């Protein structure tokens, strides 16, 4: 009888010890990059525009414009163990313009809808790549003209780290291509091409 009581006490003690030891491990396994999030971003952006004439031989003029980029994003991540898959929508604005005084383009808002995939290099750190649809608005400021929206694509890569259970910070590089179109010009049409590079830092609040 005493042996049975002793065995039961030993079993209860071992069970409680095992639970105490595994509880911290279970807490560490709590997924961080998982669920919906909303955030803000701020950084630098450079628009590159080229104009190629149809003359023989053709000539190409390239101009660049730097500016401050700012905006917000919302999305959803799914943590599937060692990897994270997600979707994100963002809207950003930019200061400055792009072009010489004779043909000055101002950059308006940009809307991006992208998917991203990343690998957890630690429980708190994520390396990722993203890609998807981008729509940018441009306004011809000099000479005065209408605004137009250009469809294109964006590709990027970044690093995100968890600060707390509900907040994370990231830094990201992105390249965007908004296609080309023709403008009438002396001697034939002029083909305008749009490219963009940007580096942003962001903070996300996670739910």
């Amino acid at each position: 009888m005493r042996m049975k009581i002793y065995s039961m006490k030993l079993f209860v003690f071992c069970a409680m010890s095992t639970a105490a030891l595994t509880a911290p491990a279970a807490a560490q396994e709590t997924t961080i990059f998982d669920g919906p999030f909303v955030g803000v971003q701020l950084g630098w952006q450079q628009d590159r525009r080229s104009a190629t004439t149809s003359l023989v031989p053709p000539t190409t003029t390239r101009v660049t414009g730097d500016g401050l980029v700012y905006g917000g994003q919302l999305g959803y991540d799914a943590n599937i163990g060692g990897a994270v898959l997600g979707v994100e929508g963002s809207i950003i604005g930019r200061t400055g313009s792009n072009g010489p005084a004779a043909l000055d383009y101002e950059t308006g808002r940009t809307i991006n809808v992208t998917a991203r995939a990343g690998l957890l290099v630690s429980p708190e750190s994520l390396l990722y790549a993203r890609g998807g649809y981008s729509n940018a608005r441009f306004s011809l400021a000099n000479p005065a003209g209408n605004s137009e929206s250009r469809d294109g694509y964006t590709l990027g890569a970044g690093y995100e780290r968890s600060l707390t259970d509900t907040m994370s910070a990231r830094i990201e590089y992105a390249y965007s291509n908004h296609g080309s179109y023709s403008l009438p010009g002396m001697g034939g049409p002029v083909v305008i091409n749009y490219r963009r590079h940007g580096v942003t830092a962001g903070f996300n609040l996670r739910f």
Side-chain angles (χ1 to χ4, degrees), residues 14-188:
C14 291
M16 293 178 63
S17 299
T18 301
L21 291 173
T22 57
Q28 292 177 358
E29 293 174 359
T30 302
T31 55
I32 296 175
F33 300 102
D34 194 66
F37 63 87
V38 62
V40 295
Q41 57 181 286
L42 182 69
W44 163 87
Q45 182 174 284
Q46 182 182 80
D47 281 20
R48 298 183 177 183
R49 182 169 53 84
S50 65
T52 303
T53 68
S54 57
L55 301 175
V56 181
T59 60
T60 299
T61 302
R62 295 180 174 87
V63 294
T64 60
D66 298 302
L68 177 71
V69 61
Y70 51 90
Q73 66 273 357
L74 58 87
Y76 187 92
D77 283 331
N79 189 323
I80 55 176
V84 173
L85 301 177
V87 293
E88 179 178 302
S90 65
I91 181 167
I92 59 175
R94 208 207 84 164
T95 63
S97 59
N98 178 17
L103 190 61
D104 190 14
Y105 278 83
E106 292 182 350
T107 303
R109 61 100 187 106
T110 299
I111 297 173
N112 298 315
V113 180
T114 59
R116 79 169 182 171
L119 294 176
L120 291 167
V121 294
S122 76
E124 300 85 16
S125 302
L126 177 70
L127 284 176
Y128 64 87
R130 76 164 67 253
Y133 168 78
S134 180
N135 178 279
R137 181 174 291 276
F138 299 93
S139 300
L140 185 57
N142 185 24
N146 296 327
S147 299
E148 64 166 359
S149 295
R150 303 292 304 169
D151 293 322
Y153 64 87
T154 182
L155 301 171
Y159 171 78
E160 187 166 0
R161 182 173 178 84
S162 173
L163 303 177
T164 68
D165 289 341
T166 59
M167 181 173 289
S168 61
R170 74 186 191 191
I171 185 168
E172 179 178 304
Y173 162 79
Y175 165 80
S176 301
N177 186 318
H178 292 105
S180 61
Y181 77 106
S182 296
L183 284 176
M186 295 182 62

